[in-house]
Amino acid sequence: MSAIDEVLQANAAYAAQFAWGDLPAPPTRRLIVLACMDARIVVSQILGLKPGEAHVLRNAGGLVTEDVLRSLLISHYLLGTREFMIMAHTDCGMMTFTDDDLFRRLRHETGTAVVTPTRFFAFRDLEENVREQVQKVRSHPWIPATISVRGFIYDVKTGRLREVSA
Amino acid sequence: MSAIDEVLQANAAYAAQFAWGDLPAPPTRRLIVLACMDARIVVSQILGLKPGEAHVLRNAGGLVTEDVLRSLLISHYLLGTREFMIMAHTDCGMMTFTDDDLFRRLRHETGTAVVTPTRFFAFRDLEENVREQVQKVRSHPWIPATISVRGFIYDVKTGRLREVSA
């Protein structure tokens, strides 16, 4: 059976005992979390979040891309979030390759050059990278200074978060 | 106390009973899920996913943006995923505004015009939008035809997923 068909079976069991049908859309903790797509990261468990409490953004690396800024602006201006938590993690796959290598490999394997994505944003220094992501949010002219922006590193071996100082 | 400080307390409790420290990075179900950032959506619960099983991407709307393609390519080529599940949901905030209105509001409230984000991708028709997202992935020259791409709508009132036919 395909993985999607397996999770659809799990969803039928979830729906059968579903108890969250009356939650409003605005996150009750006024929190938005950005984390890496990494399979070992289950944001709701790591942060003790229940349905309805926080917006969650995820991409490769937990990076502040244009898409993350798009989502963050919608989250703040239309749905009232006011704290932004950025969560990188140890053993991140983004530190295992370079953009140039991956672009070359894709062109070679597929025989095709493409326009987008224009970058993969591979990086080398985990802590410095978190600082850069925080800075990208803080310096955006449409993000009010009243929004709290803090960066963290999640340790996949211990389950513990550590704040990255500015 | 700030919401971030609250979830850090929850994380200390999580780390104290952490039992997933030896998981490898490649998702064991070879699955990648894209969902909206909506606070009512807890992907791991809705799909019965345990840590280590699937990559998870999330943004405003669960839309296939350049950032999602970036993440999907990294997920497939470097970490071996081969099924891609796109999950929109009922009562989505992306159907409550227009890009023009939000750009105008942000320029007015902040007194500043900006270059990015260039679009918010608000939409009107939920089902048609899911079809478009599936198509964006299927038509990308770097996404192999062997990757299964399927689109779904999650009902926030019932907890149930429904597949959108192509």
Side-chain angles (χ1 to χ4, degrees):
Chain A
M1 199 191 311
S2 78
I4 291 179
D5 287 324
E6 283 173 9
V7 298
L8 289 177
Q9 285 192 350
N11 175 251
Y14 177 74
Q17 46 86 59
F18 186 70
W20 307 98
D22 56 354
L23 291 176
T28 54
R29 294 205 193 211
R30 296 179 171 240
L31 173 67
I32 177 162
V33 181
L34 167 64
C36 184
M37 68 178 175
D38 193 283
R40 294 164 294 186
I41 295 176
V42 180
V43 173
S44 59
Q45 292 179 14
I46 291 170
L47 302 179
L49 291 169
K50 291 195 290 291
E53 294 190 338
H55 279 155
V56 180
L57 304 177
R58 300 186 65 176
N59 64 20
L63 304 177
V64 177
T65 57
E66 178 175 345
D67 195 37
V68 165
L69 290 166
R70 176 186 74 86
S71 301
L72 179 56
L73 290 164
I74 292 167
S75 174
H76 173 67
Y77 283 96
L78 300 180
L79 289 152
T81 54
R82 55 191 184 191
E83 291 183 64
F84 187 41
M85 183 172 192
I86 297 173
M87 193 196 303
H89 68 96
T90 59
D91 195 36
C92 185
M94 297 298 292
M95 297 187 288
T96 65
F97 68 99
T98 67
D99 277 31
D100 281 351
D101 288 345
L102 186 50
F103 278 118
R104 198 175 302 119
R105 176 180 163 190
L106 290 172
R107 281 195 302 268
H108 180 76
E109 283 194 21
T110 66
T112 317
V114 306
V115 176
T116 60
T118 55
R119 289 182 66 181
F120 287 110
F121 297 110
F123 59 85
R124 291 286 169 211
D125 185 324
L126 187 59
E127 206 165 305
E128 186 54 32
N129 191 266
V130 171
R131 282 193 200 93
E132 279 178 28
Q133 307 316 311
V134 170
Q135 193 53 36
K136 279 195 220 170
V137 178
R138 286 216 176 110
S139 61
H140 195 282
W142 283 353
I143 305 289
T146 50
I147 291 191
S148 170
V149 186
R150 292 165 65 181
F152 297 84
I153 293 172
Y154 174 75
D155 188 327
V156 297
K157 298 285 184 208
T158 66
R160 193 172 293 276
L161 282 165
R162 173 172 72 78
E163 186 153 13
V164 175
S165 57
Chain B
M1 199 192 310
S2 78
I4 291 179
D5 288 323
E6 283 173 9
V7 298
L8 289 176
Q9 285 193 350
N11 175 250
Y14 177 75
Q17 47 85 61
F18 185 71
W20 306 98
D22 56 354
L23 291 176
T28 54
R29 293 205 193 211
R30 297 181 170 237
L31 173 67
I32 178 163
V33 181
L34 166 64
C36 184
M37 68 178 175
D38 193 283
R40 296 164 293 187
I41 296 175
V42 179
V43 173
S44 59
Q45 292 179 14
I46 291 170
L47 301 180
L49 291 169
K50 291 195 289 291
E53 294 190 338
H55 279 155
V56 180
L57 304 176
R58 299 186 64 176
N59 64 19
L63 304 178
V64 177
T65 58
E66 177 175 345
D67 195 37
V68 164
L69 289 166
R70 176 185 74 87
S71 302
L72 178 56
L73 290 165
I74 292 167
S75 173
H76 173 68
Y77 284 95
L78 300 180
L79 289 152
T81 54
R82 54 191 184 192
E83 291 183 62
F84 187 40
M85 183 173 192
I86 297 174
M87 194 197 302
H89 68 94
T90 60
D91 195 36
C92 185
M94 298 299 291
M95 296 187 288
T96 65
F97 68 98
T98 68
D99 276 31
D100 281 352
D101 288 345
L102 185 51
F103 278 119
R104 198 175 301 121
R105 177 180 162 190
L106 290 172
R107 282 195 302 268
H108 179 75
E109 282 192 23
T110 67
T112 316
V114 304
V115 175
T116 59
T118 55
R119 289 181 67 181
F120 286 109
F121 297 110
F123 59 85
R124 292 284 168 212
D125 185 324
L126 187 59
E127 205 164 306
E128 185 53 32
N129 192 267
V130 171
R131 282 193 200 94
E132 279 178 28
Q133 307 316 310
V134 170
Q135 194 52 34
K136 279 193 221 171
V137 178
R138 286 216 176 111
S139 60
H140 194 283
W142 283 354
I143 305 290
T146 50
I147 290 191
S148 168
V149 186
R150 293 165 64 180
F152 296 84
I153 292 171
Y154 174 74
D155 188 326
V156 297
K157 299 286 183 207
T158 67
R160 191 172 294 275
L161 282 165
R162 173 173 72 78
E163 187 154 12
V164 175
S165 57

